């Protein structure tokens, strides 16, 4: 609780408290709480830590800024085994129901096959968000730059998957509100800076 209080004081209320479990739909399951003051923070931390959420024990929490969200986008880079290359995926609607939205409206999803040696350039990012309606030019450029950085992380850390969901638009700001990285187990020895211990 004390660590959460320190983080919230540094950020400034209101803040969002998120259960850190390896599962989607945490918000719908009660694992994401918006708190306006220290009393509500203490209650959220006490209720979440050690609880079971989506069949998993919550042993870590993230305390982050509450962002005024105008729009949510999904952005990801993953390996396409069929094409034997990475693919950049952007969905015009991010958040908890991104999978359902993609199934219902495939046109909301853009996939771009990538050349692993060339990587992602700003114009690739701009092409990927071309179908996302309602973005201003500054927002498009900011999202494109976020996609370039996401791919750079995917390559730098030998990821099988790197995704931001949601990538939130707040005015001209683009904020990665949540992210997930799935790293190739055989590559972990090359990244001691991540502090991930291999199971024996």
């Amino acid at each position: 609780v004390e660590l959460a209080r320190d983080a919230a004081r540094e950020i400034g209320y209101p803040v969002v408290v998120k259960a850190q479990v390896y599962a989607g739909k945490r918000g719908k399951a009660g694992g994401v709480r918006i708190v306006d003051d220290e009393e509500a923070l203490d209650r959220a931390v006490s209720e979440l830590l050690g609880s079971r959420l989506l069949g998993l024990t919550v042993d870590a929490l993230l305390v982050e800024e509450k962002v005024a969200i105008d729009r949510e986008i999904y952005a990801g880079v993953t390996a396409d085994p069929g094409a034997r290359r990475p693919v950049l995926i952007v969905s015009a609607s991010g958040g908890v129901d991104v999978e359902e939205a993609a199934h219902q409206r495939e046109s909301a999803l853009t996939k771009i096959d990538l050349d692993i040696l060339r990587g992602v350039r700003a114009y690739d990012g701009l092409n990927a968000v071309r179908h996302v309606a309602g973005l201003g030019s500054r927002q498009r450029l900011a999202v494109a730059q976020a996609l370039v950085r996401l791919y750079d992380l995917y390559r730098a850390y030998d990821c099988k998957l790197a995704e931001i969901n949601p990538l939130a638009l707040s005015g001209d700001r683009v904020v990665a509100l949540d992210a997930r990285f799935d790293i190739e187990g055989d590559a972990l020895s090359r990244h001691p800076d991540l502090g991930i211990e291999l199971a024996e």
Side-chain angles (χ1 to χ4, degrees):
V1 172
E2 208 51 57
L3 288 173
R5 285 179 182 172
D6 290 345
R9 287 187 198 112
E10 185 179 330
I11 296 165
Y13 289 97
V15 296
V16 180
V17 180
K18 292 184 176 181
Q20 297 299 285
V21 292
Y22 198 65
K25 303 192 186 305
R26 288 168 299 165
K28 285 189 171 182
V32 178
R33 312 275 179 91
I34 298 170
V35 298
D36 294 316
D37 54 39
E38 194 166 278
E39 184 181 338
L41 176 80
D42 290 358
R43 189 167 51 252
V45 171
S46 298
E47 289 173 0
L48 286 171
L49 268 182
S51 69
R52 298 282 290 173
L53 187 71
L54 300 164
L56 301 166
T57 301
V58 178
D59 57 11
L61 300 172
L62 172 68
V63 179
E64 66 179 5
E65 172 191 4
K66 181 182 183 294
V67 175
I69 301 171
D70 300 325
R71 181 81 178 269
E72 293 181 341
I73 294 173
Y74 170 88
V77 181
T78 189
D80 181 342
R84 298 177 63 105
R85 62 173 58 196
V87 60
L88 175 65
I89 303 169
V90 176
S91 172
S93 56
V96 293
D97 295 319
V98 65
E99 294 92 350
E100 290 84 349
H103 286 306
Q104 291 168 5
R105 212 162 50 94
E106 203 163 317
S107 61
L109 201 68
T110 295
K111 293 182 180 181
I112 298 177
D113 288 334
L114 302 173
D115 180 332
I116 198 164
L117 297 177
R118 185 176 69 81
V120 175
R121 307 283 167 82
Y123 58 80
D124 296 314
L126 289 169
N127 281 336
V129 297
R130 208 175 42 211
H131 72 289
V132 181
L135 296 186
S137 57
R138 283 186 180 178
Q139 289 177 323
R140 285 185 189 281
L141 184 57
V143 172
Q145 290 169 338
L147 295 176
V148 171
R149 291 194 294 273
L150 181 63
Y151 178 78
D152 289 345
L153 282 170
Y154 172 86
R155 286 286 288 140
Y157 288 101
D158 299 294
C159 294
K160 294 187 284 186
L161 169 72
E163 67 177 7
I164 302 172
N165 185 32
L167 183 62
L169 301 175
S170 179
D172 285 339
R173 290 175 69 204
V174 175
V175 184
L177 289 185
D178 218 323
R180 185 174 87 175
F181 295 85
D182 188 0
I183 296 166
E184 180 60 55
D186 292 338
L188 284 176
S189 61
R190 292 200 294 271
H191 305 291
D193 54 312
L194 295 176
I196 299 172
E197 292 184 18
L198 286 166
E200 292 298 325

